[in-house]
Amino acid sequence: MTAVLFDFSGTLFHIESAESWLRGALAEAGVDLPEAGVTAVAEALTRAGALPGGAQPVQLPGDLAELWLVRDRSAELHRAAYTGAARRVPLPDPALYDALYDRHMTPAAWAPYPDAAEVLRTLRERGVRVGVVSNIGWDLRPVFREHGLDPYVDTYVLSYEHGVQKPDPRLFATACAALDADPRGTLMVGDDRRADGGAAALGCAVHFVDHLPVAHRPDGLRPVLDLVG
């Protein structure tokens, strides 16, 4: 393998808990909510699928169904989908819906998996080129910079910047071209068998990791080093 492509959420990084996300937005907006209310609202937002990078909606309302399928094709669609999901949950201040969305785009809302830095650094030392290919509606580069992982990434291919989302092979082809890498010598690492598995149509090898909280997956990326050789 001469190149490795990584997914972002659930692969290299994990979003904070729904409670932490809600508390951060409440603090930023200067809104108070009783402790019992924080827990209940966080659980309702989780069921609604309102936290990007978090759980999928338990039940997607009909008026959001079509939007949800294409939410990663632009920044506008992404915000509309997730704030639309959040608005299914009553909040004490209407400004909180946008505050919640804005909070999830901050570096503080994300934590790298414990072995992410080691794996990326080792790939760099071996001369293996690295790309990040993500279905997303915002610029995740500041997250990588803040957590010290940006020096190990050669290219970022983000769905909203290209109007194409995984599993469309064109997104993986764009990444391979940016890395000057033959797809047949490229490994795609991700947590979504449908979305990330789309790289196989291009000829890439594919390796899946479990989408788990950071504390529950300390070394899930290390097998990548053996696969690359």
Side-chain angles (χ1 to χ4, degrees):
M1 297 292 173
T2 62
V4 180
L5 307 178
F6 288 94
D7 174 50
F8 167 57
S9 175
T11 300
L12 290 175
F13 283 83
H14 197 280
I15 190 67
E16 65 186 336
S17 70
E19 279 200 23
S20 175
W21 172 57
L22 176 58
R23 291 181 195 279
L26 289 168
E28 184 66 26
V31 176
D32 291 324
L33 193 63
E35 189 62 26
V38 170
T39 300
V41 170
E43 290 176 352
L45 288 167
T46 297
R47 291 193 299 272
L51 174 58
Q56 291 291 308
V58 171
Q59 184 174 7
L60 194 62
D63 60 336
L64 278 181
E66 289 188 15
L67 175 61
W68 198 261
L69 293 175
V70 297
R71 65 190 184 279
D72 296 311
R73 292 186 184 175
S74 75
E76 294 76 17
L77 291 171
H78 195 267
R79 179 181 285 271
Y82 283 101
T83 56
R87 285 190 172 91
R88 304 292 165 175
V89 180
L91 295 178
D93 185 335
L96 281 170
Y97 297 109
D98 280 318
L100 283 167
Y101 185 84
D102 293 340
R103 163 74 189 184
H104 102 274
M105 295 187 288
T106 64
W110 296 89
Y113 282 94
D115 55 348
E118 174 194 344
V119 169
L120 292 176
R121 182 174 59 250
T122 301
L123 291 173
R124 173 55 57 92
E125 291 169 351
R126 294 181 182 179
V128 177
R129 296 184 292 280
V130 169
V132 171
V133 184
S134 177
N135 279 352
I136 199 165
W138 50 277
D139 187 5
L140 51 71
R141 295 172 183 87
V143 175
F144 280 78
R145 289 196 291 268
E146 181 69 20
H147 291 281
L149 300 188
D150 181 65
Y152 308 124
V153 179
D154 298 293
T155 191
Y156 296 90
V157 178
L158 311 181
S159 62
Y160 85 102
E161 293 181 337
H162 297 272
V164 175
Q165 61 189 46
K166 299 181 289 185
D168 193 314
R170 289 177 292 175
L171 210 61
F172 305 106
T174 297
C176 288
L179 296 173
D180 193 24
D182 186 332
R184 293 168 297 180
T186 299
L187 175 67
M188 175 66 207
V189 182
D191 67 298
D192 187 318
R193 279 162 170 74
R194 178 180 178 275
D196 300 312
L202 200 64
C204 299
V206 182
H207 175 69
F208 296 109
V209 295
D210 294 324
H211 188 138
L212 296 171
V214 167
H216 296 170
R217 210 194 76 194
D219 53 8
L221 290 168
R222 288 199 177 95
V224 170
L225 299 178
D226 296 327
L227 293 170
V228 172

